[in-house]
Structure formats: C-alpha cells, structure tokens
Amino acid sequence: MRPFDYQRPDRLDHAADLAREGGKAIAGGTNLLDLMKLQVETPQTLLDINRLPMAQIAETDGGGLRIGALASNTACAVDPRVRRDYPVLSRAILAGATQQLRNKATTGGNLCQRTRCYYFTNIDQPCNKREPGSGCGAIGGFNRIHAILGASDECIATYPGDMAVALYALDAEVEIAGQRGSSRTLPVRQFHRLPGDTPQRDNNLEPGELITGVVLPPPRAGKQLYRKVRDRASYAFALVSVAAIVEMDGDTIRNASLAFGGLAHKPWHDPRIDAVLSGARPSDALFAEAADLLLEGAEGQGHNDFKIPLARRTLLAVLREATGGAA
Ligand code: SF4
C-alpha cells in the first residue's frame, strides 16, 4: 500500500471541499482498502467521512424511508421498517458479503463499490477501467463473471452488488451533496453507468460530490423477492440475481417492477419488462416474453455464455413464485 494523507472532516461542506481537491472518501473501507492494498486505488488523500452525521434511518414526510449514506448494511437490513415494508432490500443486503463485512459496509459505499473483474484487480494485466487505453484483459481472456448486457469494446465488467439491484426495483433516489452547500437528487436507476468508451467511470457522481442518503418511495403492495444465483451458498457475487416486486389483483398482475444483477456494468432495469407484465395474466408465454425482452441483445463472451440461459431460467422461476405459478 502506498503512503497517503488522512483527513477526518466533521462538516459536510469541508468534506466536499476535500473531495473536490481529490480526497477519496472512505467509510467502511470494505472495498477501497482491498483495492489500495492491491495498488489498484492509490489515493493521495483518504477522506474519512465517518464523523459526518449521516447514519440515520428515518421516515420521510412523503411516507417513504430515508437511509443515511453511513447507515451500515446490517443496520439497514435489520431495521424493522425495512424488513416490513421493503423486504426485497433486506433480503438483497443479507445475500451479500458476510456478517462482518455488512457490519462495516455502508449504504453509500455499497452503491459505489467497484467491479470484481480479475483483470481490474491485477495491476500486471491490461484494464481500461483501471488504466484507460491499456486494453481489456477480459475480452478474449477468462470472462466467466462478465457482462452479457450493455458491454462495450472497452469493458465487459459487471457491477457486483446486491443492495443496488433491490434499490433499482424499488425505484429509490440517491441524495448527493456538492460544492458550497449544493445538493441534488438522482434516481438510482440513473446513478450507475454503462462502460461505453469511459469504463473508468462507474457512476454519475461528479468530482467532489458525496452521497448523503438514499430515499425509498412509500411502500409498494405485493410480494417482494430477491433471488441470487452464485457459485456457492454464501460470500460470493451474483452470477445472476433478480429483485422483483409483483402485486396481484386476483389472477392478473396489477403491477410489476423487476431489476437484475450480475448481467451488466450496472444493475439492469428494463421498463418494457415491467410494462409487459403489468395488467397481464400470468402464463408461461408471458414469462417467456419478459425473458425475451431481458435478453434481447444479450451476448456472451465465451466463458460466460451460460449466463444467458441462466438469466432466463432465474427470471421464469422468480415470476412463477411471485405470481403463484403460471396459468
Ligand atoms: Fe478492465 Fe473492464 Fe476489461 Fe475488466 S472488463 S479488464 S474491468 S476493462
């Protein structure tokens, strides 16, 4: 690990100033410290934001729930309001990492975690994300965990998290603080980026901006599911995951909101899938149509070809469970 300066601001505006000057925010450090040890990340200044008052989970005036950026993953997953009203979020968080990591990992940090692409974390290998213009070791290399949707010629990495997949299904918003007291809100579905020709950028945070919280909308009716397919039963990233919120009205789907993990550089949400399901009667043909929409344009890279049928089967299984089975 390379030497670095260490700052502990206790005011948000001071933290934003230091971030604009190049300080790298650290909270739980469950991803960043690993990357620093590997010299994938080499910040000049570490900006410890743990003194900022951003760990609260509180109800909003609009009937939703605001989760502070520094609320730990454990605190969020076990919060009685989250378990009761947003079980897809609790289940997604508990499907990730280990208890020790969830105790330290934070809501803001979880959103900003970086890909686990093998070539990204090995500084002896080419990687456009780590070093723009150096090439992509995964294209033509070993790419079992890589993207089948939304990839580019520059990068085929996947976003590794679970929590954000549930937040996409919930259509949450991200609160962001900028310079001189400015703030903005971004729909979480617009927070992460596809790689395009700038794979070094994982998300749409601008330099100097910090996440301050995540706002969940008022609870939705219906069944909430999170299904994660992985190589082992715990402490493994998703090969495919599905977060689903499905409300039935008799034998018809009243509303559906689905998001997918493990498939792309960002959690995947396709509004056409929600639209085709909402108002329709469950059937194998309907579920197949939803899967066709999901996998339209899906492309394997060789070792990860299996993800295409796996994503289809996982989606069908989730829809059958959420609707009580096909007609
Ligand atoms: Fe780097 Fe992306 Fe290629 Fe992985 S897939 S080596 S992160 S450019």
Side-chain angles (χ1 to χ4, degrees):
M1 190 183 287
R2 297 210 185 139
F4 54 86
D5 293 331
Y6 180 68
Q7 301 268 359
R8 277 204 293 180
D10 51 16
R11 289 194 335 266
L12 187 56
D13 58 344
H14 186 208
D17 284 346
L18 292 169
R20 183 168 48 92
E21 291 163 12
K24 184 85 180 171
I26 185 168
T30 55
N31 188 202
L32 180 57
L33 287 179
D34 284 348
L35 295 176
M36 288 174 66
K37 290 178 200 166
L38 294 165
Q39 298 194 17
V40 173
E41 297 264 13
T42 53
Q44 297 276 319
T45 302
L46 262 195
L47 191 55
D48 183 338
I49 59 173
N50 284 297
R51 286 183 173 177
L52 302 181
M54 302 195 303
Q56 268 203 328
I57 301 176
E59 283 130 49
T60 66
D61 292 342
L65 198 64
R66 183 182 182 281
I67 302 163
L70 291 175
S72 74
N73 284 178
T74 297
C76 183
V78 304
D79 185 283
R81 296 160 295 188
V82 175
R83 288 169 57 111
R84 183 188 66 216
D85 297 331
Y86 307 97
V88 67
L89 178 58
S90 182
R91 287 176 188 153
I93 291 172
L94 293 174
T98 64
Q99 185 63 58
Q100 293 93 334
L101 287 166
R102 293 191 294 267
N103 290 344
K104 291 299 291 178
T106 62
T107 304
N110 195 322
L111 278 175
C112 295
Q113 67 179 296
R114 309 209 70 189
T115 183
R116 266 53 175 199
C117 170
Y118 333 109
Y119 300 90
F120 174 69
T121 52
N122 183 344
I123 59 171
D124 295 328
Q125 295 290 330
C127 172
N128 288 323
K129 182 181 284 294
R130 192 185 64 246
E131 190 181 334
S134 64
C136 171
I139 297 176
F142 186 55
N143 46 46
R144 186 170 182 278
I145 63 171
H146 289 77
I148 58 169
L149 293 170
S152 74
D153 292 342
E154 302 270 320
C155 178
I156 57 171
T158 47
Y159 174 80
D162 296 289
M163 182 193 82
V165 182
L167 293 178
Y168 273 54
L170 288 164
D171 199 12
E173 294 189 321
V174 184
E175 290 182 349
I176 297 166
Q179 299 303 303
R180 289 177 281 280
S182 68
S183 63
R184 67 182 176 119
T185 301
L186 196 60
V188 72
R189 292 171 180 172
Q190 296 172 22
F191 181 78
H192 299 96
R193 296 165 62 94
L194 291 178
D197 57 5
T198 53
Q200 67 273 22
R201 290 194 66 186
D202 294 334
N203 58 56
N204 286 312
L205 279 182
E206 298 296 337
E209 288 189 321
L210 295 168
I211 297 174
T212 53
V214 170
V215 178
L216 307 180
R220 296 175 62 133
K223 194 177 272 190
Q224 299 191 14
L225 301 174
Y226 187 72
R227 183 173 292 213
K228 177 175 180 177
V229 183
R230 47 187 158 173
D231 280 325
R232 56 177 182 244
S234 71
Y235 197 31
F237 295 99
L239 296 166
V240 174
S241 69
V242 181
I245 306 171
V246 178
E247 181 189 4
M248 297 297 293
D249 179 10
D251 61 359
T252 301
I253 301 170
R254 188 197 296 268
N255 271 302
S257 179
L258 275 75
F260 304 85
L263 304 181
H265 196 261
K266 56 181 288 184
W268 196 260
H269 172 256
D270 185 334
R272 297 176 305 165
I273 297 173
D274 299 347
V276 81
L277 293 169
S278 300
R281 292 183 64 170
S283 69
D284 284 342
L286 177 71
F287 300 165
E289 191 180 348
D292 288 345
L293 288 170
L294 170 66
L295 296 167
E296 188 182 282
E299 192 179 354
Q301 299 288 335
H303 301 107
N304 69 347
D305 290 350
F306 71 96
K307 282 191 177 184
I308 297 175
L310 181 63
R312 173 177 292 274
R313 288 198 304 273
T314 309
L315 173 57
L316 298 187
V318 166
L319 288 174
R320 288 191 186 114
E321 183 177 349
T323 60

